[in-house]
Amino acid sequence: MISRKRICSILMVAGILLFLSTGWGAAQEKFPNRPIQLIIPWAPGGGGTLNAQTLQPAFEKALGGGAMIVNKTGGGGTIAWNFVANAPPDGYTVGIVNPSLVVTQYTTKTGVNFKKFEPIITTVIVPAGVAVKADSPWKTFKEFIDYSKANPGKVNMANSGHAAMYHMGNVGIEMATGVKFTHIPYKGSGPCVAALLGGHVDGTLAEISTLLPYVEGGKFRILAVSSSKRNFAIPNVPTFKEFGFDLDVGTWYGYVVPKGTPKERIKVLHDAFKAAMNSEAFKAFYAKQGGVIEYMGPEGLMAYLEAQDKQWKKIIDFGGFKPE
Amino acid sequence: MDIFSNILAGFSIAATPLNLILCLIGCFVGTLIGVLPGIGPAATIALLLPVTFNLPPASAIIMLSGIFYGAMYGGSTTAILVNIPGEAAAAITCIDGYQMARQGRAGPALGISAFGSFIAGTFGVIFLMLLAPPIAELALKFGPPEIFAVMVLGLTILSYLSSGSLIKAFIIALIGLFIGMIGIDIAGIERFTFGIPDFFDGIGLVPVLMGLFGVAEVLLNIERVITRDIFVTRIEGLLPNREDWKRSIMPISRGTAIGFLMGVIPGPSNTISSFVSYAVEKRLSKHPEQFGKGAIEGVAGPESANNAACAGNFIPVLTLGIPTSAVMAVIVGALIIHGVTPGPLLIKNNPDIFWGTIASMYIGNFMLLILNLPLIGLWIKVLKIPYGILFPLILFFCFVGAYANNNSLVDVNVMIFFGLVGYLMKKTGFEPAPLVMAYILCPFLEEAFRQSLIKSHGDFSIFFRRPISATILAIAFLFVFMNIFSGIKEKRKRFLEKIDED
Amino acid sequence: MTVTASYEGPCVFMKQWRLALKNRDLISGIILLVVGAAVFLKSLSYPIGTFRTPGAGLFPLIASILLLSLSAILTLQAFLSRKGKGLAPAPFFPEKGASRRILLGFAGLVGYRYLLPVVGFAPSTGIFILFLIKFLGGYGWKASIFFSVVTAVIAYYLFQVWLKIPMPLPILRF
């Protein structure tokens, strides 16, 4: 029979082989050799998840690997952003960001400084619009602002979250035009729309993708839009610029990785995203939403983040918001 | 009739082989995740969304909606069998359903739950079909003060949930409120989080449910040396008998109405409607003392309510494009991804989606009934497993459920903590249901409270000036007074009896 | 007589006191008062705001005041009725050894939770089930090991492979 010693040595060899095969010896490997995680800071069904989901098929194809969408909600997005910032910088953890990243730096204790990330790319900007009910007395933005100036505090504006992006956007309008609104916080854009439909508020600032169906349905009127050029979906609506101020408060979606990720890996991700942006599905999706496909590469996104940072800080300081 | 031809067109879409299979898959998956804790319909629908990319939009929605109401059916199964609600809305079913199971009547409980859900679901869809637009308009009138009033009504219902002391019910509800306040509030301030980042978004509902209902019940049972008779092994029949049906028919009808109407209101309407139905049935019953000890009305009513509420949930989505809960938000997202813009024009622009979905809801309810009835025999066998092996499995089940909720071990800590708390509660006469109710309501209650005050610039009369909220608050106060009054009447009766004795 | 009474006095008082402590409502009432006070104090540390601009602390404050009031009523009720209880109330643990069993069950859960990130999902599940079936379920070693292994394997395939639930990577890789 096989001796004890024999068995022992066989077991030892098997053990060592098993040990090695668990990947402890992995050094240079092809990137990616396992699925990338796309961390979305908001609940499924929302704009961020939809952005990632629309990109996903073409992205995976261009990348030659899988991409897993992971929703990590909470803290206005900060839980997910903290997670990404602290993740190992190996290119397998990618986060999606939008203006809230910049805003929450100043308004929450848990906000993450955008400099903790390496930007990869931006994909789209969906401008924001000021909407009122179609049967309201204000037909133009000027009428709305004049009325608000004459009745400080009387006009109720719904926002999708206290001290969040669109609340700050409304404060930005106050800063630029000298009006005073009453800000009513809701949880997300959906409830804002419902509140406006029911006449519980006078107006709201939201991304036009949310507002468009109601404009087409004859329920809402968009008075002004936040992009620098008029939007293709609502060509008759003037921009903030035409009223003399510039508030870039639309929603943009960009992708980042933690600082320290190797440049070659960033390039791989960047090229895959860029290819995905060119897919028919992506373009068609945002064509319906009024989203402007806006490409910015790593340097472009970094510069944009700095510009956004300046803008939002000004608004936040004006409103006197501090991390509580 | 216009509706008639539309619904026929809808059936022609829903009844294609592809859509029938997808409906079946959706219902099946939904039932499965309803039974499995920790994985909810919202997460599942989001997960399976990419699978539907190559399908036509109507087919995608048919499958995804199937998951939604399948989960409602599945959630009640575990509630009845092992006192663990698979869905928050099934928490009420635990109260009488589990007691029925302990008396060997799990079959009738599961059966009436399935049938009630089917009847309510079907009628819910009928109402949806006929009344969607006007009801949607009504729902829009619910602003912050009205929502606040509804939440207050929900809390006052508490007095009917407990078969014990009223004070204890309110106390434990307040505790539930505090647990609901943990996390970042609408002003961005962390409350009661002890600096733990996992608590920033609040303590998860699933770990609390797992601990309070599942673990606590097991701890209670293992006090005694495990003999085999935790459950009466002689199972009485697999289906509800004639007596059961007689007692359930009115609760089912009332539950359907309550559930459907409340389903339109934003917020945790499925859960609230099941609680309201329970309270109504208890109030109207000729033998209210049976509630909490295995009264079948306590299963029939709430189960019907939460299924009818599902149909109600769809109304704001299909007519106005507004989601009223997390699951509906994902379904709206699914529509958007498939190039369908939900909004007031959905019925006009995409009648195939609207009518196809409605038709598939009929079919789905029917499929779920057929799926679930034979399973009753299977579930009964689960109860036959000796408790010595069953209880570790239940604990394991709770454990995984709490973990899978957010892939977090902190949630498991929460579950263990609430297991202990739930156990102590049971030993000192506090019931878990009011805590769960208050916990679920708290964010909506507070948000509506603060929004109303901001709007009225600090004026409390806003709650009473508006007709809808004033009416609802009046009903709530009525409930409380009636309960205190009957409590006083009881005490007086007993006092007088004592005097007679002496 | 008087002498005997005053000699017995303190003992009677102690007995009543012990009976009262056995009165669970009294204990829970006191615990709840403490909880209510703690929440009250903590909510004061958050901005209360005004009714015009309600702050984060307003709601908890109102609720904690309600809790304090109701707990006070509960405690008072329990205190007043303690004399009426001639017999000791039902014992906390109905059976001998119940407290030990509860402790075991609890220890099992806690142990599982801390073992999981160390040895991984499948092994810790197996150990957990084994522990419970053997020491609380009243089965022998063979049956316990059998069931625990079966459960661990099924659990692994169902939750980790099929449902792809990401489990914390164990320190000791299996």
Side-chain angles (χ1 to χ4, degrees), chain C residues 91-111:
Chain C
F92 197 76
F93 290 117
E95 251 181 53
K96 227 172 103 66
S99 54
R100 177 175 157 274
R101 302 170 59 78
I102 300 287
L103 231 59
L104 273 178
F106 198 67
L109 272 174
V110 174

Side-chain angles (χ1 to χ4, degrees), chain B residues 374-432:
Chain B
L375 284 181
I376 294 182
L378 181 68
W379 296 129
I380 302 278
K381 293 226 170 53
V382 168
L383 288 186
K384 286 222 173 98
I385 299 179
Y387 199 68
I389 300 183
L390 188 60
F391 90 85
L393 291 177
I394 296 178
L395 286 180
F396 166 67
F397 191 64
C398 291
F399 191 96
V400 176
Y403 176 77
N405 181 50
N406 218 357
N407 301 327
S408 150
L409 282 172
V410 176
D411 282 345
V412 179
N413 292 355
V414 170
M415 176 197 85
I416 298 181
F417 176 74
F418 276 100
L420 188 63
V421 168
Y423 169 71
L424 291 172
M425 274 168 58
K426 281 202 208 280
K427 305 236 41 140
T428 50
F430 290 90
E431 295 181 12

